[in-house]
């Protein structure tokens, strides 16, 4: 047996003395090897333990469910599983040749009767209000609530009408602003948006039809010259304030882009993509687009797209972080620390903006000049690589997408984060106190410079919303539908059918067969985590062996199927969510 070698030792270095501390440190840790193997086989490292109780027999069973994390630094197996699922979602919706979302079904007679009854109640309420019979209105409102519950139970989506209760729909009067386009933004053609989601069909000289698609990259404007490592050439002139505001409102700018693009081309463009930071730490987005759009049109729409933030002015700090406004219990408001004068409320600050005819928005977010668009042919290696490129960083936090290795990079990250700390993120942000304005619905627990919004966290770099953006009619399926399709694909490959043996034994009027509750780690019937990981590792190894054997059988029966499996062009095989894979029927 060869003696273990410490890392960093050359072959000429004598091995450590057997039994010494150096020799023991050279041996791998058994628990670390267990975690590495569990991650290799796709076992969740931080499972959520549930206790399942059979309501008929009283028998209990401990079940481990995956944590479902999408971050690689928290649980690599769950993050990779989520990444594979997103890649499947993009692949299935990218090159569709049929509309993914069918038209709504016609309403049934029972549903139409409920809508008519709701109309009669609304008419009766209006008549009672006109006749000043206010004592009848509460009873009618109660009947309206019952009918609306029946409408929802009957299978109708949405709400048929707003509530009459002012406390329930307390949104306040909506401020209206002019929709006239800015003079410094180019005009765009506006067409009626057709409901179709498929792009143009191209016919080859031989008569064959094909429908290519595209992928698109959108970036923000420049804030100053940067070096190849992403750091600014001159940090003093780099516009960190505008960079922070653009990052906070980047999601709204993207929404405005897709709205303008659909109006410009005249059909319901569908997209799926990811938002991630560039090396300079400014967010940009990669999108897969179904169908083709001329590059000139994409650049024209990007140049004409902007998002105006109509908030009170926030160019300069009124109060420093070490001396912010204070809360006055008597006035029930935030006041100046020196004069004790109350700060303007949020409504008053907006009224000043509305009353000023020369008022300008607090910020205007725009895209940069770099707009990259390429055509993609379905079923090619380039399409697969593009999907991998789009989903490359979805398992990492925004700050971990690019590692800061030098002092210049770390200082650049610190300066951007310090600016994000004092940038208002919404109407209720505590940072408005630093600019001399009380935020909307202000209270005494606010702390200026310590807002809990995600955009202020160092790990997000201002990207506080969802980083994965998928349009509504992309694939016609939710993530749960894609998981179910993947499980069905595995069951079909293994030759497992879900039949009467898997159906519940209770009748339609019986209570549920099982009751679930969250188990505590210190419960006496909960085995140690290492025992559960070992059990899940064995089950996953058996599952993978059975799946590999099924793939070999499929390859032997059909060479074309085996080639598609090896190239990864068939639906990706997901790992079972619960890690319980000894029995394929339990892939839930």
């Amino acid at each position: 047996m060869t003696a273990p070698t410490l890392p960093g030792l050359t072959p000429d270095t004598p091995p450590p003395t057997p039994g010494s501390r150096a020799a023991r440190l050279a041996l791998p840790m058994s628990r670390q090897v267990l975690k590495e193997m569990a991650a290799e086989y796709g076992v969740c490292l931080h499972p959520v333990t549930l206790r399942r109780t059979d309501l008929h027999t009283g028998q209990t069973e401990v079940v481990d469910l995956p944590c479902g994390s999408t971050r690689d630094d928290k649980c690599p197996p769950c993050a990779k599983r989520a990444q594979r699922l997103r890649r499947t979602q993009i692949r299935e919706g990218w090159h569709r040749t049929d509309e993914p979302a069918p038209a709504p079904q016609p309403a049934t007679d029972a549903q139409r009767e409920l809508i008519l009854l709701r109309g009669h109640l609304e008419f009766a309420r209006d008549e009672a209000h006109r006749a000043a019979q206010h004592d009848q209105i509460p009873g009618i409102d109660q009947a309206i609530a019952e009918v609306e519950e029946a409408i929802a139970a009957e299978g109708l989506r949405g709400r048929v009408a707003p509530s009459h209760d002012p406390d329930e729909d307390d949104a306040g009067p909506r401020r209206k602003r002019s929709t006239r386009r800015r003079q410094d933004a180019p005009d765009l053609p506006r067409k009626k948006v057709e409901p179709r989601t498929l792009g143009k069909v191209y016919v080859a000289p031989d008569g064959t039809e094909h429908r290519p698609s595209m992928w698109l990259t959108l970036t923000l404007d420049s804030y100053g010259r940067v070096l190849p490592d992403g750091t600014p050439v001159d940090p003093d002139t780099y516009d960190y304030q505008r960079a922070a505001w653009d990052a906070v409102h980047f999601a709204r700018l993207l929404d405005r882009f897709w709205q303008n693009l659909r109006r410009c081309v005249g059909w319901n463009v569908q997209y799926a993509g990811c938002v991630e930071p560039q090396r300079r730490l400014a967010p940009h987005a990669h999108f897969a687009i179904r169908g083709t759009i001329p590059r000139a049109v994409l650049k024209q729409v990007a140049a004409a797209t902007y998002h105006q933030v109509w908030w009170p002015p926030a160019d300069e700090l009124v109060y420093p972080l070490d001396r912010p406004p204070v809360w006055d219990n008597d006035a029930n408001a935030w006041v100046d620390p020196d004069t004790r004068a109350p700060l303007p409320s949020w409504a008053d600050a907006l009224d000043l903006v509305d009353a000023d005819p020369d008022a300008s928005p607090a910020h205007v977010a725009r895209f940069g000049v770099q707009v990259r668009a390429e055509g993609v042919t379905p079923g090619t290696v380039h399409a697969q690589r593009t999907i991998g490129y789009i989903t490359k960083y979805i398992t990492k936090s925004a700050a971990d997408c690019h590692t800061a290795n030098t002092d210049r990079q770390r200082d650049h990250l610190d300066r951007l984060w310090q600016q994000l700390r004092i940038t208002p993120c919404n109407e209720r942000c505590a940072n408005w106190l630093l600019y001399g304005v009380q935020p909307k619905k202000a209270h005494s627990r606010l702390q200026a410079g310590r807002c809990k919004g995600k955009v202020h966290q160092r790990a997000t770099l201002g990207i506080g919303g969802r980083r994965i953006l998928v349009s509504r009619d992309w694939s016609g399926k939710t993530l749960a539908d894609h998981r179910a399709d993947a499980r069905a694909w595995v069951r079909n490959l293994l030759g497992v059918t879900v039949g009467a043996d898997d159906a519940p034994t209770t009748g339609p009027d019986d209570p549920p067969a099982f009751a679930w509750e969250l188990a505590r780690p210190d419960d006496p019937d909960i085995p140690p985590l290492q025992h559960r990981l070992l059990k899940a590792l064995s089950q996953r190894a058996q599952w993978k062996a059975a799946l590999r054997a099924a793939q070999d059988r499929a390859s032997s029966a059909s060479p074309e199927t085996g080639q598609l499996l090896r190239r990864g062009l068939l639906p990706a095989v997901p790992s079972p969510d619960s890690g319980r894979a000894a029995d394929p029927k339990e892939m839930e």
Side-chain angles (χ1 to χ4, degrees):
M1 178 178 178
T2 305
T5 304
L6 285 173
L9 296 182
T10 62
D12 299 334
T13 305
T17 305
S20 63
R21 183 173 182 272
R24 292 195 301 271
L25 290 177
L27 299 175
M29 291 287 294
S30 58
R31 293 192 177 185
Q32 185 63 28
V33 174
L34 172 61
K35 290 184 177 180
E36 293 176 357
M37 293 188 63
E40 178 184 351
Y41 278 83
V43 178
C44 178
L45 302 181
H46 306 285
V48 179
T49 306
L50 299 179
R51 184 180 292 105
R52 185 176 67 177
T53 304
D54 192 324
L55 298 181
H56 298 285
T57 64
Q59 183 180 3
T60 62
E61 181 184 5
V62 175
V63 179
D64 281 341
L65 298 181
C67 64
S69 175
T70 58
R71 293 270 297 274
D72 192 54
D73 55 350
K74 294 183 178 180
C75 184
C78 289
K80 292 179 180 178
R81 187 179 301 115
Q83 186 182 46
R84 289 195 300 268
L85 189 64
R86 287 295 186 180
R87 288 177 176 175
T88 301
Q89 184 183 31
I90 295 177
R91 181 173 57 249
E92 290 191 9
W94 198 359
H95 308 289
R96 292 185 66 101
T97 58
D98 57 341
E99 295 292 344
Q105 300 177 358
T108 62
D109 294 339
Q111 294 171 346
R112 293 170 63 88
E113 289 293 335
L114 287 173
I115 295 297
L116 182 59
L117 178 58
R118 177 65 176 85
H120 291 329
L121 291 175
E122 188 68 25
F123 179 81
R125 190 184 191 281
D126 184 70
E127 289 294 323
H129 182 72
R130 287 172 177 270
Q133 297 175 352
H134 302 292
D135 56 333
Q136 298 183 8
I137 293 181
I140 299 177
D141 288 342
Q142 179 65 28
I144 288 176
E146 295 176 359
V147 172
E148 289 188 347
E149 291 180 0
I151 290 175
E154 192 64 25
L156 287 175
R157 293 182 301 162
R159 202 168 184 177
V160 65
S163 174
H164 289 286
D165 187 0
D167 296 333
E168 187 173 348
D169 295 333
D170 187 15
R174 182 178 180 180
R175 296 179 180 270
K176 298 181 180 180
R177 301 192 182 277
S178 174
T179 57
R180 182 181 302 174
R181 292 186 57 82
R182 293 177 60 92
Q183 297 298 323
D184 55 354
D187 293 331
L188 285 175
R190 182 164 181 171
K191 302 178 182 179
K192 182 180 180 180
V193 180
E194 300 178 5
R196 65 181 179 91
T197 64
L198 304 180
K200 182 179 179 180
V201 178
Y202 296 87
V203 181
D206 58 355
T208 58
E209 297 181 353
H210 64 285
R211 196 189 303 266
S213 297
M214 302 187 69
W215 78 279
L216 172 69
T217 299
L218 296 172
T219 61
L220 289 172
D221 200 0
S222 174
Y223 311 111
R225 293 181 57 193
V226 295
L227 298 173
D229 61 353
T231 60
V233 175
D234 187 2
D236 295 333
T237 60
Y238 193 82
D239 197 347
Y240 284 100
Q241 185 181 34
R242 189 161 63 93
W245 278 80
D246 281 351
V248 171
H249 299 279
F250 186 62
R252 296 178 179 88
L253 182 63
L254 289 175
D255 291 340
R256 183 66 64 181
F257 171 80
W258 294 115
Q259 182 186 49
N260 291 341
L261 182 62
R262 288 166 177 165
R263 292 174 177 176
C264 183
V265 299
W267 53 282
N268 190 10
V269 181
Q270 297 299 303
Y271 60 89
C274 177
V275 179
E276 61 189 37
Q278 295 177 288
R279 189 170 296 276
R280 59 171 180 159
L281 305 183
H284 70 156
H286 304 292
F287 289 104
I289 301 178
R290 185 189 306 152
T292 56
I293 301 173
R295 293 184 178 89
V297 173
L298 293 173
K299 293 182 179 181
Q300 180 186 7
V301 174
T305 299
Y306 59 88
H307 173 67
Q308 298 184 120
V309 185
W310 286 98
W311 284 348
D315 297 335
E316 297 181 0
L317 291 177
V318 179
Y319 300 96
L321 283 172
D322 55 354
R323 190 169 175 76
V326 295
W327 177 260
D328 190 340
N329 290 323
D330 296 334
N332 196 26
W334 289 89
V335 299
D336 186 279
D338 299 324
T339 64
R340 312 299 293 184
L343 301 183
S345 64
W346 180 258
D348 294 340
L350 290 183
D351 290 340
L352 292 177
V353 176
D354 294 340
D356 186 2
D358 299 328
S360 58
H363 180 71
V364 179
R366 300 177 185 270
F367 289 111
V369 296
Q370 296 182 358
V371 178
R372 183 180 178 185
E374 293 184 5
V376 179
T377 304
T380 60
V381 177
H382 178 51
Q384 291 295 113
R385 290 176 178 174
T386 304
I387 294 175
Y389 182 77
I390 293 174
T391 59
K392 181 179 180 181
Y393 292 115
I394 65 174
T395 61
K396 298 179 179 293
S397 63
D400 293 337
C401 293
H402 304 285
T403 306
N405 298 319
T406 64
D407 291 338
R408 288 183 59 89
Q409 292 175 328
R410 284 186 284 268
D411 293 341
H412 178 53
L413 175 60
D414 290 338
R415 286 189 292 267
L416 178 61
W417 178 56
Q418 292 297 335
Q419 186 62 44
L420 286 169
R421 284 185 58 193
I422 60 175
T423 301
C425 60
N426 53 45
E427 298 174 346
R428 302 185 183 184
C429 182
N431 290 341
W432 282 113
L433 298 175
L434 300 175
Y435 299 94
V437 178
Q438 296 190 69
K440 188 176 181 179
K441 296 185 178 181
H443 51 81
S444 60
R445 299 184 302 275
L446 296 177
Q447 296 183 8
R450 296 185 179 181
C451 178
K452 296 182 179 179
K454 292 181 61 177
V455 299
H456 306 293
Q457 299 176 8
R458 188 185 181 94
T460 63
L461 297 179
I463 309 174
R466 294 177 292 108
R467 289 179 53 198
I468 302 174
L469 306 176
V470 181
S471 57
R472 182 167 300 182
D473 296 331
W474 176 254
S475 63
K477 301 178 183 178
T478 62
L479 288 180
D481 296 333
H482 286 289
R483 293 190 188 98
D485 292 345
R487 294 192 189 101
W489 187 85
V490 174
R491 289 191 178 101
N492 182 50
L493 186 64
L494 295 177
V496 178
T497 59
V498 181
D501 296 339
D502 302 295
T505 57
T506 59
D509 298 331
D510 295 335
F514 298 101
W516 297 81
E517 62 177 344
L518 185 64
R520 301 183 53 171
D522 54 353
D523 288 346
D525 60 337
I526 304 300
L529 177 61
Q530 290 75 22
H531 291 181
R532 290 180 280 145
L533 289 181
L534 288 169
K535 177 183 176 181
L537 178 61
S538 173
Q539 293 173 341
R540 190 58 61 94
Q542 298 176 42
W543 175 81
K544 284 202 170 186
L547 184 60
R548 192 176 298 108
Q551 289 178 334
D552 292 340
R553 291 194 299 269
S555 301
S556 301
S558 175
E560 294 80 4
T561 303
Q563 184 178 5
L564 292 176
L565 287 170
R566 287 188 296 270
R567 292 176 60 188
L569 297 180
L570 283 181
V573 180
S575 302
D577 289 346
S578 63
R580 306 186 47 172
D583 185 1
K585 294 183 179 181
E586 297 182 358
M587 294 180 186
E588 300 295 342

